Amino acid sequence: MACKRGALIVLEGVDKAGKTTQCKKLVQALQQEGRAVEMMRFPERTTAIGQLISAYLENKSDLEDQTVHLLFSANRWELVPLMKKKLEQGTTLIVDRYAFSGAAFTSAKPGFSLDWCKKPDEGLPKPDLVMFLQLSPAEAALRGQFGEERYENSVFQKAVQQNYEQLMKDPSVKWQVINASQSIEDVHKDIITHSLNSINTAHNLPLGALWK
Ligand code: NYM
């Protein structure tokens, strides 16, 4: 019997916007309604590729910027068969970061164009909805110190934010800006409303290909 496919829903935003907290709350709320929902995150650090990425982020190894960019992308591609299988089985996937992080972060480095950065991720399963948790750099700073990993400083994060703004101009992707400076509960309410709409719409649509 053909079953309705799950939705592919992505949360994006600069560091400290609350993506991981909101992904977990969203998954829990949807599961409590009896829906088939699972969380994924990128980078997925448990695979062999993910471990190379993790060592780089933790400053335990050095890699060329091109190399690590392609590893981030390969880490998504290696999970595509699993993602497609789950979506086809009717499971909705809530994903903490996706190709948009890949493009926004690498293109914040000197000498990298957004177009070059998007290329390796062309053709990935296209999200039915990308929610961008919008938080100003000043508000992010109020949420405490950045961590110890690469990229975790305010100058870099400002460049990342500008790159996300470029990416959001693309009408082929369904973006939804969420005001992340609200309380955790109010952000959650917004996110759940948009997610339910997306799940209902995705049921009847084929899965698309990103940036194609
Ligand atoms: N990051 C994440 C990238 O630079 N490229 C990517 O493709 C992805 C998915 O990794 N600072 C960066 C953004 C984060 C860092 O992510 C680790 P997290 O969500 O903190 O584990």
Side-chain angles (χ1 to χ4, degrees):
M1 190 180 74
C3 85
K4 290 176 171 175
R5 79 163 171 94
L8 179 57
I9 297 175
V10 171
L11 268 73
E12 286 280 1
V14 291
D15 290 352
K16 291 186 187 294
K19 293 179 299 298
T20 306
T21 304
Q22 292 296 337
C23 277
K24 287 183 182 158
K25 276 182 81 71
L26 176 59
V27 169
Q28 211 175 24
L30 293 171
Q31 283 175 344
Q32 270 167 10
E33 286 187 7
R35 294 172 187 270
V37 183
E38 286 181 28
M39 179 168 164
M40 295 183 76
R41 65 179 312 162
F42 292 107
E44 172 48 68
R45 300 188 192 218
T46 57
T47 67
I49 295 170
Q51 284 169 26
L52 293 173
I53 294 171
S54 195
Y56 170 83
L57 288 171
E58 292 169 11
N59 274 303
K60 291 179 181 156
S61 71
D62 272 322
L63 293 170
E64 285 299 295
D65 292 325
Q66 287 84 349
T67 308
V68 75
H69 183 72
L70 296 173
L71 287 176
F72 272 115
S73 178
N75 184 231
R76 286 183 276 280
W77 281 107
E78 68 178 334
L79 284 155
V80 165
L82 181 68
M83 291 171 75
K84 285 191 168 164
K85 188 171 138 209
K86 299 241 179 226
L87 292 169
E88 276 160 21
Q89 286 171 345
T91 300
T92 284
L93 298 177
I94 307 298
V95 187
D96 184 354
R97 296 189 186 281
Y98 199 50
F100 314 98
S101 282
F105 276 76
T106 304
S107 64
K109 296 180 174 180
F112 285 86
S113 73
L114 204 52
D115 277 349
W116 186 90
C117 293
K118 286 163 73 179
K119 279 281 170 218
D121 285 312
E122 271 184 21
L124 279 176
K126 180 171 165 176
D128 297 292
L129 174 66
V130 187
M131 285 180 277
F132 182 74
L133 272 60
Q134 179 98 58
L135 190 72
S136 71
E139 284 169 305
L142 290 176
R143 296 191 173 180
Q145 298 288 311
F146 281 114
E148 300 284 296
E149 290 202 334
R150 285 185 208 254
Y151 311 151
E152 293 184 340
N153 67 75
S154 54
V155 175
F156 196 81
Q157 297 285 325
K158 271 184 203 158
V160 171
Q161 167 84 32
Q162 285 167 0
N163 295 332
Y164 273 124
E165 280 161 17
Q166 288 303 312
L167 290 167
M168 280 190 268
K169 289 182 185 160
D170 172 4
S172 78
V173 174
K174 190 163 175 10
W175 288 94
Q176 179 65 53
V177 177
I178 304 286
N179 174 5
S181 63
Q182 306 175 90
S183 71
I184 292 180
E185 284 309 320
D186 285 345
V187 174
H188 174 63
K189 275 188 208 148
D190 279 0
I191 285 181
I192 201 139
T193 306
H194 292 297
S195 301
L196 288 171
N197 285 340
S198 176
I199 290 169
N200 289 334
T201 316
H203 279 339
N204 305 310
L205 294 174
L207 186 62
L210 180 64
W211 293 329
K212 280 230 158 183

